[in-house]
């Protein structure tokens, strides 16, 4: 009698039965392939090979009576045959992506409440000062960008940053109608029948990289007829046109941009050029084109439009695609989107995204990073508007970049020996 009673004991108490009443395990790789959230996946390991699924009530559990009973009752958490079987009666599925490293003493709390779509993060830190996490402090509510060492990964833009940016933004907005009128026929010619414009931005200081891109395309007999170069000085426009490229330059929009190459990442010249990267894509989005944006430090091995135009590809249903930056630091979470190579399908979600990014320029001024700002806006638009974002993972081989060069040495050796046939190589680090 005692054993039977124990076997029939529910897994979770009555006090949680309105929001959790059963659980199931699913193989991690199966779950990730069944529900592609677009994020760059970390490798599955023996200690991170299962997904824990919680059911709020019996009607959400699988039809299989044995599995349903195991999910409800105390004992070993059952393993479903597949992610689709485990979720066959789930009308809603909320997924939490959480750190799985061994360094954190971490707790995850689920509370029945008015639904929220952002994680509430608490850490043991003092209210003031840069101190590392310690048990001598109470848990307190913090920003998602606060690190274990007490440093803030993304600081709030200050008033001076907003004022500085508004001085740039105001003339840009006032001139936009004129720019769109001049740009439209050039963009239409570049887009061709596919309605896709390949966008590059360059100043005179980076012109050697532009030459390298063109020479590589010609050597491989790859057409760059879809490419439209946004030049930030007249010299670069003339150079691009002499190479057979379509080019656009507007003195009022780009005249104040530096002609020289940036000396290092995030220096003032680099930051100003980041604004040009925002302008050109926002303008083309307003003209209703699909867009492939790429930096000039890229070479092609195959035309990358092939994969984005393939309607039979499993990724085809996404709105926007980014190369994985490879740096999976907190300030890039959860996408680590590289803003030097990305593809945009034209629709109301992507158009509003780039209009919103344009308005967030003070964050670029404050952080000196186009990438941090874009990912911040991307997070909110994915949540609020369902902007479907796909990251071309650093663990895959078709879109290598700086991460592969520095951290995937076996791949690079095979790459040099022509055992891989990627679409591009991006020297992003």
């Amino acid at each position: 009698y005692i054993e039977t009673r124990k076997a029939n004991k529910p897994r979770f108490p009555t006090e949680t039965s309105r929001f959790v009443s059963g659980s199931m395990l699913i193989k991690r790789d199966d779950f990730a392939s069944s529900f592609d959230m677009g994020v760059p996946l970390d490798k599955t390991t023996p200690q991170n090979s299962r997904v824990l699924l919680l059911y709020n009530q019996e009607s959400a559990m699988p039809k299989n009576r044995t599995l349903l009973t195991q999910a409800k009752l105390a004992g070993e958490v059952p393993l479903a045959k597949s992610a689709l079987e485990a979720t066959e009666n789930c009308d809603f599925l909320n997924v939490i992506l959480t750190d799985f490293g061994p360094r954190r003493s971490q707790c995850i709390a689920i509370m029945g409440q008015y639904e929220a779509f952002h994680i509430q993060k608490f850490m043991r830190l003092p209210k003031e000062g840069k101190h590392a996490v310690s048990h001598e402090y109470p848990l307190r509510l913090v920003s998602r960008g606060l690190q274990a060492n007490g440093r803030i990964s993304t600081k709030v833009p200050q008033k001076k940053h907003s004022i500085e940016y508004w001085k740039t933004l105001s003339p840009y907005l006032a001139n936009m109608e004129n720019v769109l009128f001049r740009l439209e026929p050039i963009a239409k010619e570049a887009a061709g029948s596919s309605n896709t414009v390949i966008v590059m931005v360059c100043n005179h200081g980076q012109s050697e990289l532009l030459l390298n891109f063109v020479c590589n395309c010609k050597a491989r007999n790859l057409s760059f007829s879809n490419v439209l170069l946004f030049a930030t000085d007249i010299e670069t426009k003339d150079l691009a046109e002499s190479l057979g490229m379509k080019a656009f330059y507007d003195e009022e929009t780009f005249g104040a941009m530096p002609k020289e190459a940036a000396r290092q990442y995030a220096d003032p010249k680099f930051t100003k050029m980041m604004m040009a990267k925002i302008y050109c894509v926002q303008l083309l989005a307003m003209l209703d084109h699909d867009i492939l944006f790429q930096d000039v430090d890229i070479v092609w091995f195959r035309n990358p439009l092939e994969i984005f135009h393939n309607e039979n590809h499993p990724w085809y249903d996404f709105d926007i695609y980014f190369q994985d930056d490879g740096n999976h630091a907190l300030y890039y979470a959860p996408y680590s989107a590289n803003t030097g190579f990305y593809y945009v399908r034209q629709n109301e979600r992507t158009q509003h995204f780039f209009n919103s990014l344009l308005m967030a320029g003070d964050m670029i001024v404050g952080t000196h990073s186009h990438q941090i700002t874009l990912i911040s806006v991307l997070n909110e638009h994915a949540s609020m508007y369902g902007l479907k974002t796909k990251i071309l993972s650093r663990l895959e081989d078709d879109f290598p970049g700086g991460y592969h060069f520095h951290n995937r040495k076996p791949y690079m050796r095979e790459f040099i020996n022509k055992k891989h046939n990627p679409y591009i190589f991006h020297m992003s680090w």
Side-chain angles (χ1 to χ4, degrees):
Y1 169 77
I2 294 174
E3 288 301 318
T4 302
R5 187 175 174 184
K6 183 178 179 181
N8 290 330
K9 183 179 179 182
R11 184 178 299 279
F12 295 99
T14 303
E15 292 81 359
T16 68
S17 60
R18 291 299 297 273
F19 63 92
V20 58
S21 60
S23 62
M24 187 83 62
L25 292 174
I26 305 170
K27 291 180 180 178
R28 183 176 184 269
D29 290 340
D30 179 29
F31 185 87
S33 62
S34 299
F35 305 105
D36 190 348
M37 293 162 281
V39 298
L41 294 174
D42 294 307
K43 286 184 179 179
T44 294
T45 65
Q47 296 79 27
N48 183 34
S49 60
R50 299 288 184 267
V51 172
L52 176 63
L53 184 67
L54 300 177
Y55 299 101
N56 73 324
Q57 57 191 29
E58 186 173 321
S59 64
M61 299 178 194
K63 295 175 183 176
N64 183 297
R65 298 303 300 180
T66 301
L67 207 56
L68 184 152
T69 301
Q70 291 174 337
K72 288 197 307 181
L73 299 182
E76 185 176 345
V77 179
L79 176 65
K81 292 181 181 178
S82 71
L84 297 182
E85 178 188 45
T87 59
E88 63 182 339
N89 288 324
C90 298
D91 294 330
F92 299 84
L93 177 63
N94 296 325
V95 181
I96 298 172
L97 304 177
T98 189
D99 183 86
F100 62 95
R103 300 180 197 176
R104 287 189 185 180
S105 298
Q106 177 176 272
C107 303
I108 300 174
I110 299 177
M111 184 172 78
Q113 175 56 24
Y114 186 20
E115 196 166 20
F117 296 95
H118 292 81
I119 298 294
Q120 308 303 312
K121 179 178 175 181
F122 289 76
M123 294 171 66
R124 292 192 181 277
L125 291 170
K127 289 184 178 181
E128 304 293 339
K130 295 178 182 178
H131 298 275
V133 167
S134 172
H135 281 282
E136 67 180 279
Y137 307 118
L139 285 167
R140 68 180 185 88
L141 187 63
V142 299
S143 72
R144 73 183 188 205
L146 200 58
Q147 302 172 120
N149 60 7
R151 295 184 61 186
I152 300 172
S153 64
T154 306
K155 296 179 180 178
V156 180
Q158 299 174 21
K159 182 172 70 173
K160 65 179 181 180
H161 299 136
S162 298
I163 293 171
E164 179 182 343
Y165 180 59
W166 292 341
K167 289 177 181 178
T168 303
L169 180 62
S170 295
Y172 173 78
L173 293 174
N175 191 41
M176 185 186 296
E177 186 175 353
N178 174 55
V179 172
L180 288 171
F181 177 78
R182 292 179 50 231
L183 176 62
E184 185 172 16
I186 304 172
K188 187 175 182 180
E189 182 185 359
S193 59
S194 69
N195 193 41
T196 304
V197 180
I198 301 172
V199 189
M200 302 174 77
V201 175
C202 189
N203 66 5
H204 195 61
Q206 295 179 317
S207 58
E208 288 184 354
L209 291 171
L210 178 64
L211 284 165
N212 186 64
F213 169 78
V214 172
C215 289
N216 173 77
C217 286
K218 290 182 176 181
R220 297 179 183 277
N221 198 28
L222 294 169
S223 171
F224 51 86
S225 61
N226 288 92
V227 174
L228 173 55
L229 179 83
F230 281 74
T232 60
D233 51 69
I234 193 64
E235 293 88 350
T236 305
K237 177 180 183 293
D238 292 342
L239 173 63
E241 290 176 339
S242 73
L243 295 169
M245 302 182 83
K246 299 173 186 68
F248 180 81
Y249 172 70
D250 181 73
E251 175 68 26
E252 194 164 341
T253 302
F254 300 116
M257 300 286 177
K259 289 186 179 183
E260 303 83 10
R263 298 181 68 87
Q264 61 185 18
Y265 179 83
D267 74 6
K269 291 175 183 176
F270 180 93
T271 303
K272 286 184 178 180
M273 287 300 293
M274 293 304 99
M275 303 316 305
K277 292 175 69 169
I278 288 183
Y279 295 161
C280 64
V281 177
Q282 188 265 338
L283 289 167
L284 289 168
M286 291 296 289
L287 291 174
D288 299 320
H289 292 295
D290 286 3
I291 301 159
L292 173 61
F293 179 89
Q294 63 171 55
D295 283 343
V296 289
D297 57 350
I298 283 177
V299 292
W300 289 357
F301 295 89
R302 292 183 280 166
N303 189 322
L305 292 183
E306 293 173 6
I307 194 168
F308 301 119
H309 288 171
N310 182 358
E311 296 184 15
N312 296 318
H313 197 283
W315 298 342
Y316 186 78
D317 194 36
F318 286 85
D319 295 319
I320 189 166
Y321 308 74
F322 292 88
Q323 183 183 34
D324 187 348
D325 183 79
N327 178 0
H328 288 189
L330 183 61
Y331 43 79
Y332 289 160
Y335 291 111
S336 188
N338 186 292
T339 54
F341 184 85
Y342 59 92
Y343 184 84
V344 184
R345 297 199 193 283
Q346 174 57 29
N347 57 47
E348 62 182 7
R349 293 181 297 278
T350 54
Q351 192 173 73
H352 181 55
F353 170 72
F354 285 105
N355 286 339
S356 298
L357 182 61
L358 175 68
M359 298 302 162
D362 54 352
M363 187 173 179
I364 296 176
V365 177
T367 61
H368 305 289
S369 173
H370 177 218
Q371 203 152 292
I372 288 174
T373 305
L374 183 143
I375 293 170
S376 174
V377 178
L378 190 65
N379 274 323
E380 192 58 32
H381 280 242
S383 174
M384 178 66 76
Y385 304 113
L387 180 68
K388 295 186 69 176
T389 304
K390 177 67 179 177
I391 306 300
L392 310 172
S393 173
R394 64 186 184 178
L395 302 181
E396 296 168 359
D397 299 337
D398 282 343
F399 295 92
Y403 174 84
H404 297 70
F405 183 85
H406 292 285
N407 295 297
R408 290 187 59 187
K409 299 297 184 182
Y411 172 87
M412 290 306 302
R413 284 192 288 270
E414 292 173 353
F415 172 78
I416 295 298
N417 291 323
K418 299 183 179 180
K419 294 182 179 179
H420 293 284
N421 185 29
Y423 284 95
I424 66 161
F425 186 84
H426 182 193
M427 196 64 245
S428 53
W429 286 15

